Amino acid sequence: MLTINSLTVRLGGRTILDRASASLPAKSRTGLIGRNGAGKSTLMKAMIGSLEADEGGIEMPRKTRIGYIAQDAPSGIATPFETVLAADTERADLLRQSETVTDPDRLGDIHERLIAIDAYAAPARAARILIGLGFDEDMQGRPLDSFSGGWKMRVALAALLFSNPDLLLLDEPSNHLDLEATMWLESFLRSYPGQLVVISHERDLLNNVVDHILHLEGGKVTLYPGGYDAFERQRAERAAQLAAAKAAQDAQRAKLQDYIARNSARASTAKQAQSRAKQLARMQPIAAIADDPSLVFDFPSPADELKPPLITLDLASVGYAPGAPVLSRLNLRIDPDDRIALLGRNGNGKTTLARLLAAQLKPEDGAMASSAKMRVGYFTQYQVEELDGADTPLGHMTRVMAGKTPGAVRAQLGRFGFAGNKATTEVGKLSGGERARLALALITREAPHLLILDEPTNHLDVDAREALVQALNGFDGAVLIVSHDRHMLELSADRLVLVDGGTARDFDGSMDDYVAFILGKSAANDDAKAAPARPKDAKLARQEAAKAREAQAALRKSAKDHEARAARLAQQISAIDRAMFDPAGADPALAKLTMGDLAQRRGKLAAELESVEAAWMEMLEAIEAAAA
């Protein structure tokens, strides 16, 4: 059992953890969650002892072997395979001793221990872990310094998993993984024999792997049984109870204040009023659940509809050096209502294809045709990293919207939660999630017809990812996504394109089919890799999803029209009211009418307004029901 006892940690004068307490059962798999900046990594560092608590502490059984990935990636001339094998320090030490020890009894003990820890099967286990994380046989034998930082972090993760600690601590382990490696990691962690604490924003991992959720909020921790979906249900129930308790307290507070106001001045009741005042002072206010501006995403939909197709590729090839294409034989069509997820391991060319479609790369061979009027919004992590930390969201947006009014600039920022002082906060002081929202605000400023999002969720927590999904589903243009977040792909995409073998083709199946395909549960042969499951059903599902989006778009447009019509009617009624009660300041045309004519006209407008508002509300309810 791991016990957090009244743990308090202060950093830079700010209290991060405030008397946090929880007991994690032995062998439990716990998902540590909370909003960005809540203190999750701080708590994990306290667990490994790299951060000293100001008060309280963390208790666990003696001699617990803790496994945690340091921020520094491994480097040097050692290979990934050698690095992973070396992570089991006991095995490595015993093997060294077995080559130098001459005492027969000691040598026997060494070999018995090597057998007990299954040391001779270790190379095969190390290779399986590396393969699961995307390292083929050739990559396993290359020096570490030949890999990028992301791949080096995969080696660090592989070494940690191989070392098999009693307590495995993982901080966003899927950040450097593609979808395929993330699915393998889930499968591995489900069968992990030790205790696990994982910080993650991946809903599927939190549902498929963990059996407890430790929620960190306001410096406190609360332990919930079950996965993330179970946590959400329990949190919703708790929020409802909190809201009811606050409403009851507000009513009681108002009653006490009224009594004090009415009875303080009267001698006969002054004592009772003083007693009520003391009771009021002792009453601890129940805080309302505040709206979080970091959950605001609102992609502006294009007002000018384009005829299909937006883009067509005809036997196109693309790469970065002449004569060395990364992808060839590309035949692809993108329509205005497409919702596409690009699948495939990192390094297979997903980003290359995205850059081609965003017109950042030109085809070396074949043909690519696109609508001349098409606007593309292309998001990458590099845009987040390249934001000027000394500038503000308002400064960034003003530059890219040169010539637009300050109101238009502010409105675009407001779509993504940058209102008021937030718009003038230095970017360097924003969280990773806030910087990602700013980058999304910048690339959608012209209401693009096609959104291309390359790993948009890396800096977003679970709630923010859910808000992003809802915003994408409300966007009227085409969407193409590269992501390792399976939950987001399942809810946002209805067409899957597999980038593999130097080309890209439609994958006629669901995400579940793809999971089975990747994990080796599909019986498809090599010729059917791109279509392992129910092509007719998948095609029909995509068509139905497209029709549903068309209907939703029409419904949203009609709802906007009704809203505007209701606003116009309300304005006309207001003008009549002014003419009836303040003729001097009224519209001259209305001022000439008699009171009877004005009243008659007002009655007709009010009836029409009531009808329009009723229809508008029905549409809003239909839109909400479809989104649920």
Side-chain angles (χ1 to χ4, degrees), residues 453-476:
L453 307 180
D454 194 344
E455 293 293 355
T457 63
N458 272 3
H459 297 286
L460 303 181
D461 56 42
V462 185
D463 291 335
R465 293 181 185 204
E466 204 66 27
L468 176 59
V469 167
Q470 294 182 25
L472 288 174
N473 290 338
F475 175 65
D476 289 339

Side-chain angles (χ1 to χ4, degrees), residues 316-391:
S317 298
V318 62
Y320 299 92
V326 175
L327 298 172
S328 305
R329 308 181 309 281
L330 293 171
N331 290 304
L332 191 65
R333 168 178 169 145
I334 299 179
D335 288 335
D337 63 347
D338 269 331
R339 301 298 168 102
I340 300 171
L342 293 188
L343 307 176
R345 285 196 176 275
N346 282 358
N348 281 5
K350 298 190 299 294
T351 296
T352 301
L353 178 55
R355 292 189 64 187
L356 173 66
L357 297 173
Q360 291 192 355
L361 293 174
K362 294 182 178 180
E364 295 181 7
D365 198 5
M368 174 178 171
S370 60
S371 172
K373 296 181 179 179
M374 181 182 64
R375 297 184 299 276
V376 178
Y378 181 35
F379 172 90
T380 71
Q381 288 300 316
Y382 296 112
Q383 292 164 329
V384 179
E385 296 164 3
E386 291 172 358
L387 291 170
D388 184 354
D391 204 350

Side-chain angles (χ1 to χ4, degrees), residues 86 89-101 110:
T89 54
E90 182 185 13
R91 174 184 177 276
D93 184 54
L94 289 171
L95 287 174
R96 280 193 296 269
Q97 291 186 48
S98 69
E99 296 176 356
T100 57
V101 168
I110 290 172

Side-chain angles (χ1 to χ4, degrees), residues 40-42 44-45 48 50 68-75 148-150 152-154 156-157 160 169 171-172 175-176 199:
K40 302 183 295 296
S41 296
T42 299
M44 187 162 280
K45 289 175 182 177
I48 65 172
S50 69
Y68 177 76
I69 294 182
Q71 290 186 347
D72 295 331
S75 60
S148 67
K152 288 179 180 179
M153 290 307 297
R154 289 197 192 201
L157 176 59
L160 176 61
L169 302 175
D171 190 346
E172 289 288 355
N175 261 6
H176 300 285
I199 298 173

Side-chain angles (χ1 to χ4, degrees), residues 55 72 90 184 201 219 234 286 308 328 434 522 527 545 578 589 591:
E55 297 174 25
D72 295 331
E90 182 185 13
W184 176 88
H201 298 310
Q234 295 172 74
I286 298 173
S328 305
E434 288 170 331
S522 173
D527 294 333
R578 182 157 191 163

